Amino acid sequence: MSIRSETEAFDHQGPGERAVGLTARGAWNAFVMLLTREILRFGRIWVQTVLPPMIMTALYFVVFGHLIGPRIGVIDGVPYIQYLVPGLILMSVITQSYANSVSSFFGAKFARHVEELLVSPMPNWLIIIGYVAGGVARGLTVGGAVTLVALLFAELSVYSVLNLFGVALMTSTLFALLGLINGVYATHFDHISIVPTFVLMPLTYLGGVFYSINMLSEFWQQASLYNPVLYIINGFRYAMLGITDVPVWSTYGILAVGILAAYLYALRLFRKGIGLRG
Amino acid sequence: MSNATNKAVEIYELEKTYEGGTRALKGIELTIDEGDFFALLGPNGAGKSTTIGILCSLVNKSHGTVRVFGHDLDRDRAWVKSQIGVVPQEFNFNQFEPVEEVVINQGGFYGMTRKAAKKRAHELLKQLGLYEKREGMARALSGGMKRRLMIARALVHSPRMLILDEPTAGVDIELRRGMWDFLTQINRQGTTIILTTHYLEEAEALCRNIAIINEGRIVEHSSMRNLLAKLSQETFVLYAREPVESLPEMPVVGSRLVDEETIEVDLTRGQELTGVFDVLRGHGIVIERMKNKTNRLEELFLRLVQDDEAAKQESTEGRS
Ligand SMILES: Nc1ncnc2c1ncn2[C@@H]1O[C@H](COP(=O)(O)OP(=O)(O)O)[C@@H](O)[C@H]1O
Ligand SMILES: [Mg+2]
């Protein structure tokens, strides 16, 4: 029947040859459907997903940029309000990418519609990539929206477009993956806010969103170098302003290693069916 | 065509022990023909959902072999998944999604384009009386409609086999008939159907073959007709006052001499004990005492009925 052929499933009959559940085109269709569903989901609730980071960013600019900023003056030759822009944008990218996959995946587990994916022939890697793409879509959408807010307060400068998109894309990929892992482990609503509150927030606030580590004492400068978020934020600041506390290669190194490790870890969780299959 | 077969499902030595130690399945053997309408009947906790869960990859098995349309589940899992549509026991769709999106998404996950999935979704929603509701939130549907939504979702990719786990639980009698008709129709068109139930009546109305599962074991695996014949049969044990040499012909399905003074007779519907006594008296055999011999199957069905009553009680208590 025509519909059966459209599902792109076919049966290799040769001995020793494996029967395939999804062809390459079927896998692409499945990916597009999952990504679309994720985008529609956060789009439907934009008041909870897109609006709050915009308001928060505006408040940061008013308080730290306008009111306190002039007293701080210039950092690395850049007015403070300008210095804040990259960190604030990337902070939204980080939290929103993470929030999207953790809440979407935990929600799917809680309401059990994750089973729609588990009974389908979609391989684990494709489910992971679909959710991560959803997180990236939200991270970049909010990143863009926050950038528009920043335009109201500061000039937008771009030092290197390639690095701008490179760092933003890799950052949202990494944190969407981490959020997904959190979602796989979570068994209770509280579990989706523990990591963002107790790990993510301290690391970003202490990761040079608001200051250059050169302003810190020797000890805290050294201590900050153990914070991976520092490298990511500085990479993004380099892309926008051309200034950074760390070498640019270290930004990409941390992001690449982080993405690879998180992806392999997520794949292992899915394979073992942790929190998914009885 | 090395693995061509006309078996839809072959299960050997299937065992499942859940984390925490519950042994839900204790070595199940089951074969289901392609095109069959098959019932898996058993009381609550028997292992029906566990068996279904393993078939559609929602539960990992602990031991055993499962083949679907000749393909080993462990080897060709993705292919096997693509051949099955499943309607689980509990609602498991996103209640905050529009009705048609639930069906369309699932089509996508099976590899269909949005366009093809949408066309098919509309067809199915029409057939199942949900077309008018397609743009509303799934949450707003009634219980029976939610169940039908899950049937539409399970059929979106036109699977070769449809599995339904207690599809009519909580669906009222009239709607139940409608659902039965729909299932019968798609079975006639060639889809293999497996359903679990704890209503014998439902299995009787729909299914050609049946397996009865109890405490993780298959206790009966036969055609519906054989089972009904067995069930409608009752066995009585008669104790004679004096030793009996041989039994006369009696108007019953079966009779035998267990020992010199003990006779067993099997009666089916419409046969009466008075006829037996008449013949025996005519041959000078006097019956002193008698008792009804309960069989394994009957005891099981008694439990099924009790479960049912308990469930009904619970649901009425829950409502008040
Ligand atoms: N996820 C689970 N974890 C632990 N035990 C389970 C789980 N699911 C079912 N069981 C147990 O396994 C047995 C069989 O359950 P189930 O397959 O749901 O039976 P049925 O569907 O026939 O009512 C029951 O004792 C049940 O409590
Ligand atoms: Mg069950």
Side-chain angles (χ1 to χ4, degrees):
Chain A
M1 242 181 70
S2 66
I3 290 157
R4 188 161 293 152
S5 64
E6 275 163 17
T7 67
E8 301 289 337
F10 55 85
D11 187 357
H12 282 300
Q13 298 285 2
E17 217 173 334
R18 287 183 158 212
V20 176
L22 279 176
T23 59
R25 251 198 63 207
W28 172 252
N29 291 340
F31 169 78
V32 169
M33 194 66 87
L34 182 51
L35 175 58
T36 310
R37 191 184 78 172
E38 285 304 290
I39 292 173
L40 288 175
R41 191 194 73 90
F42 76 73
R44 230 179 266 135
I45 49 172
W46 65 275
V47 177
Q48 294 168 48
T49 54
V50 183
L51 204 54
M54 292 174 79
I55 294 172
M56 197 187 71
T57 306
L59 291 172
Y60 274 119
F61 276 117
V62 169
V63 175
F64 290 102
H66 269 298
L67 302 180
I68 298 175
R71 297 182 183 223
I72 296 173
V74 171
I75 300 180
D76 292 341
V78 177
Y80 187 61
I81 195 161
Q82 206 70 25
Y83 188 86
L84 272 179
V85 174
L88 287 179
I89 294 173
L90 206 66
M91 193 162 77
S92 287
V93 172
I94 289 174
T95 51
Q96 296 302 311
S97 307
Y98 192 96
N100 197 70
S101 37
V102 69
S103 54
S104 177
F105 195 78
F106 175 72
K109 249 176 37 170
F110 185 77
R112 301 182 65 164
H113 58 268
V114 69
E115 292 177 4
E116 292 173 346
L117 294 165
L118 299 181
V119 301
S120 84
M122 284 177 79
N124 292 330
W125 61 265
L126 191 57
I127 298 176
I128 294 172
I129 288 178
Y131 269 98
V132 169
V136 169
R138 169 141 152 221
L140 297 186
T141 302
V142 174
V146 165
T147 306
L148 294 180
V149 172
L151 279 174
L152 300 175
F153 298 90
E155 277 172 47
L156 192 69
S157 65
V158 176
Y159 181 77
S160 154
V161 182
L162 205 65
N163 281 313
L164 186 84
F165 284 102
V167 174
L169 189 69
M170 285 178 81
T171 303
S172 56
T173 303
L174 174 60
F175 286 92
L177 271 166
L178 295 175
L180 182 63
I181 291 169
N182 189 167
V184 171
Y185 277 118
T187 54
H188 191 277
F189 274 106
D190 290 345
H191 298 163
I192 70 179
S193 56
I194 288 176
V195 176
T197 309
F198 295 103
V199 182
L200 232 43
M201 198 156 70
L203 285 183
T204 34
Y205 276 62
L206 300 175
V209 172
F210 301 102
Y211 54 79
S212 161
I213 56 165
N214 296 325
M215 297 159 71
L216 303 175
S217 68
E218 181 64 23
F219 173 79
W220 286 110
Q221 276 192 34
Q222 289 304 316
S224 296
L225 293 176
Y226 289 97
N227 178 357
V229 179
L230 177 86
Y231 296 81
I232 300 170
I233 288 174
N234 272 284
F236 198 63
R237 183 171 290 129
Y238 172 78
M240 289 191 90
L241 304 173
I243 50 175
T244 174
D245 292 345
V246 297
V248 177
W249 64 261
S250 66
T251 300
Y252 284 108
I254 292 236
L255 285 169
V257 170
I259 289 170
L260 189 67
Y263 171 73
L264 292 177
Y265 193 77
L267 202 57
R268 219 190 88 192
L269 290 180
F270 272 75
R271 278 228 180 95
K272 289 193 165 178
I274 307 267
L276 298 174
R277 293 188 167 95
Chain B
M1 294 283 170
S2 60
N3 41 24
T5 174
N6 58 355
K7 292 273 179 274
V9 175
E10 296 158 89
I11 293 176
Y12 305 104
E13 296 175 11
L14 185 63
E15 290 174 25
K16 173 64 189 178
T17 306
Y18 281 106
E19 254 172 71
T22 309
R23 286 188 68 202
L25 301 179
K26 299 168 186 166
I28 282 193
E29 311 273 327
L30 204 60
T31 53
I32 299 169
D33 289 336
E34 174 149 26
D36 201 356
F37 203 138
F38 189 90
L40 189 59
L41 181 77
N44 275 325
K48 302 185 294 297
S49 295
T50 302
T51 309
I52 298 301
I54 291 170
L55 268 177
C56 59
S57 296
L58 287 174
V59 176
N60 290 327
K61 62 183 162 65
S62 309
H63 177 82
T65 306
V66 175
R67 273 204 282 275
V68 175
F69 298 115
H71 287 256
D72 187 272
L73 182 63
D74 294 326
R75 194 185 125 98
D76 292 329
R77 187 175 296 278
W79 183 85
V80 166
K81 285 172 167 182
S82 72
Q83 306 298 304
I84 298 178
V86 62
V87 181
Q89 188 170 357
E90 300 184 20
F91 302 135
N92 72 338
F93 47 84
N94 187 348
Q95 306 261 350
F96 298 96
E97 244 166 38
V99 169
E100 66 175 2
E101 283 299 313
V102 171
V103 184
I104 294 170
N105 283 334
Q106 186 71 80
F109 303 153
Y110 282 108
M112 298 167 81
T113 60
R114 171 168 282 274
K115 197 169 156 232
K118 187 166 183 169
K119 184 164 166 265
R120 174 77 175 147
H122 284 188
E123 256 170 52
L124 287 164
L125 292 173
K126 271 179 201 154
Q127 287 175 40
L128 286 154
L130 292 170
Y131 188 70
E132 306 302 320
K133 306 266 181 189
R134 70 189 180 284
E135 280 165 6
M137 288 283 157
R139 179 177 46 149
L141 298 180
S142 71
M145 286 176 167
K146 284 178 178 167
R147 189 76 50 187
R148 279 180 278 149
L149 170 58
M150 293 205 296
I151 295 179
R153 183 184 63 179
L155 290 171
V156 66
H157 61 303
S158 305
R160 246 162 107 181
M161 175 157 72
L162 177 66
I163 304 179
L164 306 105
D165 198 357
E166 311 219 12
T168 52
V171 177
D172 61 47
I173 302 277
E174 275 152 63
L175 290 174
R176 205 177 286 181
R177 299 261 166 220
M179 198 184 288
W180 289 358
D181 291 343
F182 178 78
L183 294 177
T184 307
Q185 186 193 327
I186 61 167
N187 175 247
R188 279 211 197 100
Q189 288 161 7
T191 310
T192 307
I193 300 185
I194 303 176
L195 71 81
T196 76
T197 179
H198 57 251
Y199 305 108
L200 179 62
E201 184 208 3
E202 181 162 74
E204 196 178 335
L206 292 171
C207 301
R208 277 190 290 283
N209 290 295
I210 186 167
I212 297 170
I213 182 171
N214 190 35
E215 293 175 359
R217 290 202 171 82
I218 300 288
V219 293
E220 186 75 31
H221 186 352
S222 74
S223 71
M224 201 65 224
R225 193 179 312 170
N226 277 343
L227 178 80
L228 291 176
K230 266 192 206 172
L231 276 178
S232 63
Q233 203 165 298
E234 236 181 325
T235 302
F236 292 91
V237 188
L238 314 178
Y239 299 96
R241 186 155 43 187
E242 261 121 49
V244 179
E245 303 223 324
S246 67
L247 278 182
E249 279 288 307
M250 286 183 285
V252 292
V253 187
S255 60
R256 61 212 152 259
L257 209 50
V258 179
D259 60 43
E260 281 188 333
E261 288 159 15
T262 316
I263 305 164
E264 278 187 7
V265 290
D266 306 321
L267 273 73
T268 185
R269 256 177 226 151
Q271 298 179 331
E272 287 173 4
L273 269 175
T274 44
V276 174
F277 288 133
D278 287 347
V279 174
L280 289 175
R281 202 177 301 115
H283 286 76
I285 301 171
V286 180
I287 300 301
E288 217 172 26
R289 284 178 302 122
M290 76 168 215
K291 71 170 193 195
N292 195 327
K293 186 177 173 184
T294 48
N295 66 36
R296 205 162 45 93
L297 222 48
E298 254 173 68
E299 277 169 27
L300 188 62
F301 275 93
L302 221 56
R303 243 191 86 196
L304 282 174
V305 173
Q306 281 164 355
D307 267 4
D308 241 20
E309 295 292 314
K312 268 178 210 149
Q313 206 112 33
E314 248 169 53
S315 69
T316 33
E317 274 162 19
R319 238 173 265 146
S320 59

